[in-house]
Amino acid sequence: KAREVLDHGFVRVIDYMGDDAAICQAARVSYGKGTKSVQNDEGLIRYLMRHWHSTPFEMCEVKLHVKLPVFVARQWIRHRTANVNEYSARYSILDREFYIPRAEDLAAQSVINNQGRGETLTGEEAERVLRYLKDDAGRAYDHYEEMISDEGQQGLARELARMNLPANIYTQWYWKVDLHNLFHFLRLRADSHAQYEIRVYADAICEMVKDWVPAAYGAFEDYRMGGANLSGRQL
Amino acid sequence: KAREVLDHGFVRVIDYMGDDAAICQAARVSYGKGTKSVQNDEGLIRYLMRHWHSTPFEMCEVKLHVKLPVFVARQWIRHRTANVNEYSARYSILDREFYIPRAEDLAAQSVINNQGRGETLTGEEAERVLRYLKDDAGRAYDHYEEMISDEGQQGLARELARMNLPANIYTQWYWKVDLHNLFHFLRLRADSHAQYEIRVYADAICEMVKDWVPAAYGAFEDYRMGGANLSGRQL
Amino acid sequence: KAREVLDHGFVRVIDYMGDDAAICQAARVSYGKGTKSVQNDEGLIRYLMRHWHSTPFEMCEVKLHVKLPVFVARQWIRHRTANVNEYSARYSILDREFYIPRAEDLAAQSVINNQGRGETLTGEEAERVLRYLKDDAGRAYDHYEEMISDEGQQGLARELARMNLPANIYTQWYWKVDLHNLFHFLRLRADSHAQYEIRVYADAICEMVKDWVPAAYGAFEDYRMGGANLSGRQL
Amino acid sequence: KAREVLDHGFVRVIDYMGDDAAICQAARVSYGKGTKSVQNDEGLIRYLMRHWHSTPFEMCEVKLHVKLPVFVARQWIRHRTANVNEYSARYSILDREFYIPRAEDLAAQSVINNQGRGETLTGEEAERVLRYLKDDAGRAYDHYEEMISDEGQQGLARELARMNLPANIYTQWYWKVDLHNLFHFLRLRADSHAQYEIRVYADAICEMVKDWVPAAYGAFEDYRMGGANLSGRQL
Ligand SMILES: Cc1cc2nc3c(=O)[nH]c(=O)nc-3n(C[C@H](O)[C@H](O)[C@H](O)COP(=O)(O)OP(=O)(O)OC[C@H]3O[C@@H](n4cnc5c(N)ncnc54)[C@H](O)[C@@H]3O)c2cc1C
Ligand SMILES: Cc1cc2nc3c(=O)[nH]c(=O)nc-3n(C[C@H](O)[C@H](O)[C@H](O)COP(=O)(O)OP(=O)(O)OC[C@H]3O[C@@H](n4cnc5c(N)ncnc54)[C@H](O)[C@@H]3O)c2cc1C
Ligand SMILES: Cc1cc2nc3c(=O)[nH]c(=O)nc-3n(C[C@H](O)[C@H](O)[C@H](O)COP(=O)(O)OP(=O)(O)OC[C@H]3O[C@@H](n4cnc5c(N)ncnc54)[C@H](O)[C@@H]3O)c2cc1C
Ligand SMILES: Cc1cc2nc3c(=O)[nH]c(=O)nc-3n(C[C@H](O)[C@H](O)[C@H](O)COP(=O)(O)OP(=O)(O)OC[C@H]3O[C@@H](n4cnc5c(N)ncnc54)[C@H](O)[C@@H]3O)c2cc1C
């Protein structure tokens, strides 16, 4: 049921409320009687998406369990219209699990886009990067364990020791969001401007949403992901 | 399944997500392993409520269908942390249904509380009030119908005609909210400072929530509804 | 300073925070050093708008005092990302002020758009509509006053008496919102699909925003108001 | 103007809107005429705070510039009712600045509170912890610099290289919030259950708020910080 993402991550649906029919049911509250026959569900959903009638999409809700590197979590959490419960590194001990990119994902800084990637690193440079990432993470975790250990010493508070750990360590959370705001998240994070490591999570969620609400997902794909925004000047 | 409220209103559960166990499940994400045995569910829920750890309660969600007078809707909609789809009086024709208080709910203005009620009206005064409310609503609705009629005339736009209708006309909506914000709503609206006509809706929802998440509701009742807030000076 | 809207309404700026420069200042926090020379302010603002980088626009805030008919207030309040304090009809007595459309705004129901207007009403029909609106409002208000009067009687609670009043009575509020969400409001409410009576408020606010943040307003106008959204299929 | 916090952090007010008088002005909108003489400002503010009438406090807004360690930022950002622009580690190069606790802040894990601190570490243990924190941060940063360097190599993308950096590195952001939600933040983060390193930021902000809105801060301190919540059972 869980979809694996990156080297140790995953996305898993815990629960959901509503479906394509629930979107239409809510939209039809607005229209009252006398409009029974308006449109079939898919047509209505496409109409709502096209005209930015977003509130009926808020009537669906999904709760995910996600395991993800901290630097991805830092981007993700910026989406405020969600409910979150994260693993506490004050309360509990983090696992020794770090995101180490695959060779083909070790990208150079883009020379044209300050916020992007260019070619894949190769040869010695790639090797050195991987060695640094692995060694530094390993050492940081060894020291984390040593610092919190209470054998023969007091043991540093976990909330302090964890600050030694790098941003590629994995965390996890429950994340619950409505479908409108999930689409907004997906539009921004399944987009080519988003960092690859969050994009793969967004892509995995896209697959799940496609199964869950196929008509809504189709409309989203057509009007938001595949669409274009022209300015008045361009028109 | 629907609970009747006031003379023509109701509250009905359309769907929900999560339960007492889901609150605990989310809270336990934070605590990780090594804390399995902490507490039973009810103890944990009471702990969360007592310490204002509100995010696990956001992991439950409920969707209601509500029929309510417009003046109640105007108070209710001020709660922004919810998702709403309301019947459109631009699109559709409103029904001839008005809230007319029962004799015992016809209260005088409080003489001590500017925002409250005092004794029940009696005798001629009560009769006159009821007559005004009924007659004015009836006449306004007759004119509403006449204005929008397209028989022998163009027919006024519905979005304009509805402005003739008084605030005790009924509307309806789908209203979806998470449990933390529902509790916040209930604390404010099942409270004695709230207007009677919204309080009866809050009371009906309290009954539903008690059935749905008994442990969470119990903790809410004890710490929020029944509790007291003392200031530093008072202590 | 206040702009008059409709027959008794207005919009007035109470206070604001930030300006075009504040948007850029916030956006440049992200870019750190080494990007000083990127772009001039207007170019940067257009870039942010084009790419839906909305958070820098949230760094500006405006507080308005608005007087508006209740049926307009009911549409307006649906925008949840704002802060509101409204005149209390439980606490205070409403004024005898009703929105009565000008002759040229008395529109017939559209025959092609269920949620819209068609031609202007004329002749006797128009006269009858105006008479109904004026008379019903006047009578409702007379009865309101009579019911709450405490001369020679107890006097009905204001919170109950107000339910006799029609939706074209005026209310007022303070409304505070950030610029990003204000643009969202304006996109939806200065749009031709919005009801005329809220559109004139949105138009008045547009003028104010143009004075306040000319570069941001220009970008908004070009990319949001004047722009178009093409679907993937259309492309 | 900026208040220094921890070893390299600070909090600085960029802008604000409103003051104690603005809270009262908004609250008085609700009360309309006939209630001019109700109360002086401080009395009104204390009344609003006591009765959880929170919306008038939303009428004040403040914008801060904050420099803070990443692990503190991760707790802070969980407060969703704010506007944020953070320094981008995809776009820009992070500075070599790490939070290293003072000797007296090197606390052991609490033995009674899973999410808290106990005694201060001493002797060799304290020294070793400081050595680890400093050395690991230094080495991680050296490798970060090496990896992104484009001298004689392609240079790893900054968005990837930064994942090698530990959670005590400093970041910065603009953070804008209304006074009601700021009080909510302060109640949770100036509290003894909050981690020391975020508490010192909350404390610094408390001082600023006290200067800015003394009456509101006084009420907050008395009813929220100094107050107590009793359950029904306790009563
Ligand atoms: C001592 C302490 C320990 C903590 N430990 C943990 C932990 O182990 N794990 C963990 O995950 N978190 C933990 N937290 C964080 C906590 O769960 C909250 O995320 C954080 O305190 C922000 O509080 P808030 O949600 O009330 O604030 P805000 O996000 O500012 O929200 C304020 C209010 O606005 C409403 N609101 C805002 N956004 C939404 C939304 N999207 N949906 C619904 N309502 C919304 C709600 O009514 C909310 O109460 C801890 C916090 C503290 C103070
Ligand atoms: C022409 C027109 C016709 C309309 N007809 C109807 C109708 O028939 N029936 C009807 O019910 N409404 C109708 N509406 C109202 C509409 O459904 C929206 O409620 C209103 O436009 C506010 O838009 P919003 O939700 O995007 O704005 P805001 O509430 O300001 O929200 C902005 C964004 O913030 C986020 N957000 C804010 N609050 C929440 C929250 N609590 N939960 C999740 N996300 C949140 C969402 O991403 C949202 O898109 C109509 C609106 C227009 C313009
Ligand atoms: C007895 C009583 C009398 C009242 N009298 C009046 C009156 O005279 N005039 C009047 O105008 N109102 C009045 N109200 C309404 C009151 O001001 C609130 O609007 C209403 O109670 C909703 O409360 P809330 O804002 O806490 O709820 P929600 O809107 O559900 O918000 C819950 C929490 O989420 C956060 N939040 C949600 N949306 C936003 C946002 N856009 N910006 C910042 N934070 C947000 C805040 O932390 C908020 O506390 C009255 C309410 C009651 C119960
Ligand atoms: C490619 C990319 C690059 C980025 N680079 C940076 C960067 O360099 N620096 C940086 O700081 N961020 C950066 N971000 C994050 C970005 O600024 C947003 O924080 C993030 O995308 C979440 O978007 P959102 O605010 O629309 O979503 P949500 O927080 O889910 O909000 C959705 C909508 O709800 C409403 N809303 C929700 N909460 C509030 C609130 N508290 N107040 C007012 N309205 C609210 C708004 O209308 C908002 O548009 C980047 C994002 C992307 C995709």
Side-chain angles (χ1 to χ4, degrees), chain C:
Chain C
K1 188 104 163 281
R3 278 170 195 270
E4 296 183 6
V5 188
L6 298 180
D7 48 358
H8 302 292
F10 62 74
V11 183
R12 193 162 65 92
V13 177
I14 296 293
D15 202 355
Y16 55 86
M17 175 198 270
D19 53 16
D20 281 332
I23 299 166
C24 296
Q25 185 191 31
R28 290 204 172 96
V29 173
S30 306
Y31 306 145
K33 48 189 180 206
T35 52
K36 289 279 147 51
S37 61
V38 178
Q39 279 175 307
N40 64 15
D41 278 15
E42 205 201 319
L44 176 56
I45 284 176
R46 285 183 64 82
Y47 172 91
L48 296 170
M49 185 67 77
R50 191 163 60 248
H51 289 90
W52 295 87
H53 287 188
S54 50
T55 52
F57 296 102
E58 294 181 16
M59 289 291 157
C60 293
E61 192 89 15
V62 66
K63 194 195 295 179
L64 305 174
H65 183 185
V66 189
K67 189 169 159 193
L68 70 179
V70 161
F71 71 94
V72 174
R74 292 239 296 136
Q75 298 181 345
W76 194 311
I77 200 69
R78 294 296 303 277
H79 296 261
R80 297 158 293 181
T81 46
N83 314 110
V84 188
N85 278 104
E86 185 177 354
Y87 187 91
S88 169
R90 296 180 69 198
Y91 202 97
S92 304
I93 298 171
L94 287 161
D95 286 330
R96 186 193 283 270
E97 282 184 322
F98 298 90
Y99 167 60
I100 305 293
R102 294 175 307 181
E104 67 257 43
D105 297 329
L106 273 189
Q109 177 66 30
S110 166
V111 286
I112 50 168
N113 177 356
N114 264 321
Q115 207 173 27
R117 298 187 185 184
E119 316 252 289
T120 304
L121 298 191
T122 53
E124 250 182 79
E125 186 181 357
E127 275 167 40
R128 194 172 53 249
V129 163
L130 284 180
R131 203 174 56 241
Y132 281 163
L133 291 177
K134 281 182 202 160
D135 289 359
D136 288 357
R139 190 183 305 100
Y141 196 86
D142 289 344
H143 292 165
Y144 169 67
E145 275 190 319
E146 255 189 68
M147 291 190 284
I148 61 178
S149 163
D150 56 3
E151 286 181 37
Q153 62 175 16
Q154 293 182 274
L156 184 63
R158 292 192 275 276
E159 66 182 32
L160 283 173
R162 52 97 174 251
M163 75 176 150
N164 202 49
L165 297 167
N168 56 344
I169 196 164
Y170 276 88
T171 183
Q172 16 182 319
W173 59 36
Y174 273 38
W175 190 70
K176 173 171 153 288
V177 71
D178 66 71
L179 183 59
H180 163 58
N181 286 296
L182 179 57
F183 280 147
H184 183 69
F185 172 87
L186 294 175
R187 180 159 64 121
L188 292 172
R189 301 303 183 176
D191 185 87
S192 63
H193 292 91
Q195 182 166 350
Y196 168 77
E197 280 76 17
I198 194 168
R199 217 160 61 217
V200 288
Y201 283 91
D203 290 343
I205 297 175
C206 280
E207 293 303 314
M208 291 167 155
V209 176
K210 195 189 288 185
D211 286 349
W212 170 35
V213 283
Y217 186 79
F220 165 69
E221 212 173 19
D222 195 24
Y223 288 108
R224 297 287 183 276
M225 295 304 285
N229 233 318
L230 301 185
S231 76
R233 292 190 198 171
Q234 285 168 313
L235 292 173

Side-chain angles (χ1 to χ4, degrees), chain A residues 55-165:
Chain A
T55 51
F57 296 102
E58 294 181 15
M59 289 290 158
C60 293
E61 191 89 15
V62 66
K63 193 195 295 178
L64 304 174
H65 182 185
V66 189
K67 189 169 159 193
L68 72 180
V70 161
F71 70 94
V72 174
R74 293 238 297 136
Q75 299 181 343
W76 194 310
I77 200 71
R78 294 295 302 278
H79 296 261
R80 296 158 295 181
T81 46
N83 315 109
V84 187
N85 279 103
E86 185 177 353
Y87 187 91
S88 168
R90 295 180 69 198
Y91 202 97
S92 303
I93 298 170
L94 287 162
D95 285 331
R96 185 192 283 270
E97 280 183 322
F98 299 90
Y99 167 60
I100 305 293
R102 294 175 308 180
E104 66 258 42
D105 298 328
L106 273 188
Q109 177 65 32
S110 164
V111 286
I112 49 167
N113 177 355
N114 263 320
Q115 208 173 27
R117 297 187 186 184
E119 317 253 288
T120 304
L121 299 191
T122 52
E124 250 182 80
E125 186 181 358
E127 275 168 39
R128 195 171 51 248
V129 163
L130 285 179
R131 203 174 54 240
Y132 283 161
L133 293 176
K134 281 183 202 161
D135 289 358
D136 289 356
R139 190 184 306 99
Y141 196 88
D142 289 345
H143 292 164
Y144 169 69
E145 276 191 318
E146 255 187 71
M147 291 191 285
I148 60 178
S149 163
D150 56 3
E151 286 182 37
Q153 61 176 15
Q154 293 182 276
L156 184 64
R158 291 191 277 275
E159 66 181 31
L160 284 172
R162 53 96 174 254
M163 75 175 151
N164 203 49
L165 296 168

Side-chain angles (χ1 to χ4, degrees), chain D residues 220-232:
Chain D
F220 164 70
E221 211 173 19
D222 195 23
Y223 288 108
R224 296 287 183 276
M225 294 304 285
N229 233 317
L230 301 186
S231 76

Side-chain angles (χ1 to χ4, degrees), chain A residues 26-27 29-31 52-56 58 81 178 180-181 184, chain B residues 79-91 173 176, chain C residues 75-82 115 180-181 184-185 187-189 191-195:
Chain A
V29 173
S30 306
Y31 306 144
W52 294 87
H53 287 189
S54 49
T55 51
E58 294 181 15
T81 46
D178 66 71
H180 163 59
N181 285 297
H184 182 69
Chain B
H79 297 260
R80 297 158 294 182
T81 46
N83 315 110
V84 187
N85 279 103
E86 186 177 353
Y87 187 89
S88 169
R90 296 181 67 197
Y91 202 98
W173 60 35
K176 173 171 153 288
Chain C
Q75 298 181 345
W76 194 311
I77 200 69
R78 294 296 303 277
H79 296 261
R80 297 158 293 181
T81 46
Q115 207 173 27
H180 163 58
N181 286 296
H184 183 69
F185 172 87
R187 180 159 64 121
L188 292 172
R189 301 303 183 176
D191 185 87
S192 63
H193 292 91
Q195 182 166 350

Side-chain angles (χ1 to χ4, degrees), chain B residues 78 80-81 184, chain C residues 80 82-83 86 88, chain D residues 30 55 178 180-181:
Chain B
R78 294 295 302 277
R80 297 158 294 182
T81 46
H184 183 70
Chain C
R80 297 158 293 181
N83 314 110
E86 185 177 354
S88 169
Chain D
S30 306
T55 53
D178 66 72
H180 163 59
N181 285 297

